[in-house]
Amino acid sequence: MDPDRRTLITGAAAAAAYAALPGSGFTAEKRSPVVKTTNGKVRGYLDGEVSVFKGLRYGADTGGARRFMPPVPPEPWTDVKDALAYGPASMQTGKGEEGEPLSEDCLFLNVWTPAKAGKNGLADGGKRPVMFYIHGGAYNGGSGASPWYEGTKLAKRGDVVVVTVNHRLNAFGYLYLARIFNDPSVADSGNAGQLDLVLALRWVRDNIAAFGGDPDRVMLFGQSGGGAKIATLMGMPAAKGLFHRAATMSGQQVTVGGPFNATRRAKAFLDKLAIKDLAALRALPPAEMLNGLKAVDPIAASGGVYMGPVLDERSLTRHPFFPDAAPEGLAVPMMCGNTHDETKGFIGWDAKAFPQTWDEVVARLPGQFNARIDIDPETVVAFYRQTYPNYSPADVYFAASTAGRSWKAAIIQAEERARAGAPAYVYQVNWKSPIQGGIFGAPHTIDIGLVFGTLDAKGSIVGTGPESVAMSNTMSDAFVNFARAGDPNGGALPKWEPYTLERRQTMVFDNASRMEDDPRGAERRFFNRVPFTQFGT
């Protein structure tokens, strides 16, 4: 089925179901806000006091002959398009969100706004800050339709406009073919997914005022892979001026892939598919193209082949944070965060998988470091046992793997910002997930639900008790303040100072949040003995 038709049918069904709810009061005037965009009129729906628009098309279909090419705006329309259901997510090896289709035709975004309808639709002159969220899932999976990213609560609490976005992923967005095929149409294939995000930001610049937002106060925030995409955008000249604050949440991009390694990966991908010419590759059904991702990565020599942004000397002419912070992003206020127990979020929430002995820790640490750092694991364990004598084997395993695998890149970003005189506001989440009595600590992803306020979303790890609500309100308010003024101060938190090399000021989010200078400083200094390599580069 044509994706546009599928989205419209789904949206119409959603509207009919909504209208049938007892007491819904569904009328064209009350329940169906209509907004005129540069592409045409769109119709959303009201969720309480928030107007919601899902599946807004910001780019044309990227399949067929346009596979691997930069995105272009869609053709305008003259009717009113329903925007009541999420658009398809990018093709990926995993499943999309429940009921979410996958398609090459995936350039859709979603908007939540508290703007009130009037003579000019939702353009009420409110000039609200825009919080543009980029999903995680590395560069391989995910979408803007996760219930964790549902924007109603955040839009209402902060009086902000919330946007989430889909873009091309994995080989559809990052397969670098420029050195394999002498064809100008694939010159930008290694960064097509990033260029999708640039096009989405241009849509926001041109349209968000019609939804009650301020195009001059656009904040990017994203967790894990979303944070990495944001860091990459900070080094892209094409993105300059399209966003005005940036927050990376447990996701950093110090370096991007080099062109020769990216070419080796593309060759491995093509060999796996047994394809040698561009026309055949473009004609391959999208589901079959995913099989190429099963190729063994020729650089890491294990796992599936990595796809990510490339130093192609076109979209990217330098690394985002090497040898220093890219000058394109220095004027953008930045927030850079991580969680205390990042790697506890990578083991499937199974306490039985915790290492029980010191020998297990030594054997398993190299797999967690995964070529990011190269250091003797016995030396690592000895350091932690001396520094934290009360730590169990599991405590050491997660502390060391977090510090070496996940935290190091965040430190580099903060340090390079400070060296350039454009410091970041740095945070660390210590607040523990209430799941199973807190044994998982503060794992990867915990800050998503806290910022969005989606405490009761399917699969949530943050709980709904009083402490969860209080922590969510605190983090959400800090992010809203940052979106509003480029400074997270102004709420219940103590004074939040930017990061300097002399003190390394860090906001520690907990039941009693506090500022600390150089938290876990001993671990930071220990891992400084070896260089850090960004995964995939």
Side-chain angles (χ1 to χ4, degrees):
M1 182 182 292
D2 175 74
D4 276 342
R5 179 169 170 77
R6 174 171 49 200
T7 301
L8 289 171
I9 291 172
T10 304
Y18 198 93
L21 290 175
S24 67
F26 189 96
T27 66
E29 295 77 18
K30 184 177 181 182
R31 305 306 307 179
S32 302
V34 174
V35 171
K36 184 179 180 180
T37 74
T38 52
N39 302 317
K41 292 182 178 179
V42 294
R43 178 186 292 110
Y45 66 92
L46 272 170
D47 184 351
E49 300 175 20
V50 175
S51 292
V52 183
F53 298 80
K54 294 179 177 178
L56 294 173
R57 180 182 286 280
Y58 70 87
D61 191 344
T62 57
R66 294 210 56 82
R67 187 180 283 178
F68 311 125
M69 293 179 66
V72 296
E75 290 293 325
W77 54 84
T78 57
D79 56 342
V80 179
K81 298 288 189 185
D82 282 338
L84 308 173
Y86 292 113
S90 173
M91 296 297 300
Q92 52 193 278
T93 53
K95 296 180 179 179
E97 295 298 325
E98 187 173 339
E100 180 185 32
L102 304 179
S103 174
E104 281 195 87
D105 188 13
C106 63
L107 303 190
F108 298 92
L109 54 77
N110 316 293
V111 175
W112 291 262
T113 175
K116 304 301 182 186
K119 292 182 180 179
N120 298 314
L122 295 174
D124 63 355
K127 285 190 170 292
R128 296 165 182 82
V130 180
M131 299 183 69
F132 185 107
Y133 185 79
I134 302 178
H135 69 77
Y139 294 93
N140 296 316
S143 82
S146 168
W148 291 15
Y149 318 149
E150 210 281 333
T152 304
K153 293 183 175 66
L154 180 57
K156 182 178 178 181
R157 179 174 181 83
D159 193 30
V160 297
V161 178
V162 178
V163 179
T164 67
V165 64
N166 291 352
H167 67 102
R168 282 175 287 179
L169 301 168
N170 51 73
F172 295 92
Y174 299 95
L175 181 66
Y176 183 59
L177 300 170
R179 291 180 175 270
I180 297 176
F181 300 120
N182 185 24
D183 188 317
S185 71
V186 296
D188 297 291
S189 61
N191 291 307
Q194 294 299 120
L195 293 174
D196 292 346
L197 294 171
V198 171
L199 184 63
L201 287 168
R202 289 175 180 157
W203 185 96
V204 167
R205 177 196 62 193
D206 298 339
N207 291 286
I208 210 65
F211 295 84
D214 185 351
D216 295 320
R217 282 193 296 174
V218 177
M219 170 183 162
L220 301 186
F221 68 126
Q223 192 272 344
S224 194
K229 296 163 194 171
I230 291 168
T232 302
L233 287 168
M234 293 180 77
M236 293 180 64
K240 188 174 182 180
L242 295 175
F243 61 97
H244 315 93
R245 301 91 165 85
T248 59
M249 308 160 66
S250 302
Q252 300 82 30
Q253 195 79 45
V254 178
T255 52
V256 294
F260 297 113
N261 280 350
T263 299
R264 290 175 63 191
R265 287 177 164 126
K267 288 180 177 177
F269 178 89
L270 294 174
D271 288 345
K272 184 69 175 178
L273 294 174
I275 285 181
K276 298 186 180 300
D277 70 271
L278 181 57
L281 184 60
R282 281 198 165 120
L284 197 67
E288 292 184 27
M289 203 173 103
L290 290 172
N291 291 327
L293 298 173
K294 300 175 183 176
V296 175
D297 191 289
I299 314 303
S302 64
V305 65
Y306 169 83
M307 297 286 159
V310 182
L311 192 69
D312 63 356
E313 302 301 336
R314 292 174 61 88
S315 302
L316 280 166
T317 59
R318 57 152 294 153
H319 296 287
F321 282 88
F322 177 85
D324 52 14
E328 288 84 356
L330 291 180
V332 176
M334 186 177 186
M335 185 186 293
C336 184
N338 75 294
T339 72
H340 188 275
D341 308 291
E342 295 275 10
T343 51
K344 282 190 176 180
F346 302 144
I347 62 165
W349 298 95
D350 183 3
K352 295 178 181 177
F354 289 13
Q356 303 298 315
T357 68
W358 298 114
D359 287 342
E360 275 190 84
V361 178
V362 169
R364 291 172 58 179
L365 270 179
Q368 284 289 347
F369 293 152
N370 198 14
R372 294 171 177 86
I373 57 172
D374 194 348
I375 189 170
D376 173 53
E378 287 92 346
T379 301
V380 175
V381 170
F383 161 77
Y384 273 91
R385 293 187 71 178
Q386 180 178 4
T387 306
Y388 305 106
N390 294 326
Y391 273 20
S392 69
D395 293 335
V396 169
Y397 175 68
F398 290 115
S401 56
T402 291
R405 168 179 176 159
S406 301
W407 182 39
K408 180 71 173 176
I411 294 172
I412 292 172
Q413 285 189 176
E415 288 177 342
E416 294 305 333
R417 291 278 298 191
R419 288 190 180 98
Y425 291 93
V426 174
Y427 74 81
Q428 173 179 296
V429 181
N430 280 26
W431 187 83
K432 294 180 178 180
S433 167
I435 291 177
Q436 294 187 36
I439 63 171
F440 295 104
H444 195 66
T445 74
I446 195 170
D447 40 0
I448 299 174
L450 293 174
V451 172
F452 275 93
T454 48
L455 308 184
D456 57 354
K458 183 178 179 180
S460 172
I461 64 171
V462 295
T464 58
E467 290 185 352
S468 302
V469 172
M471 189 74 264
S472 175
N473 289 345
T474 297
M475 285 200 72
S476 184
D477 289 348
F479 273 65
V480 167
N481 290 338
F482 188 65
R484 195 172 302 283
D487 184 328
N489 287 291
L493 289 171
K495 174 69 176 177
W496 191 342
E497 300 175 1
Y499 192 92
T500 65
L501 294 175
E502 293 73 26
R503 291 177 51 200
R504 301 177 182 274
Q505 299 97 312
T506 303
M507 178 62 68
V508 177
F509 284 108
D510 209 338
N511 286 326
S513 298
R514 61 195 181 277
M515 286 296 298
E516 285 191 20
D517 288 357
D518 200 16
R520 297 184 291 167
E523 297 173 66
R524 177 187 58 79
R525 290 187 293 271
F526 173 80
F527 282 108
N528 275 349
R529 67 177 61 193
V530 293
F532 172 84
T533 302
Q534 178 86 41
F535 181 74
T537 68

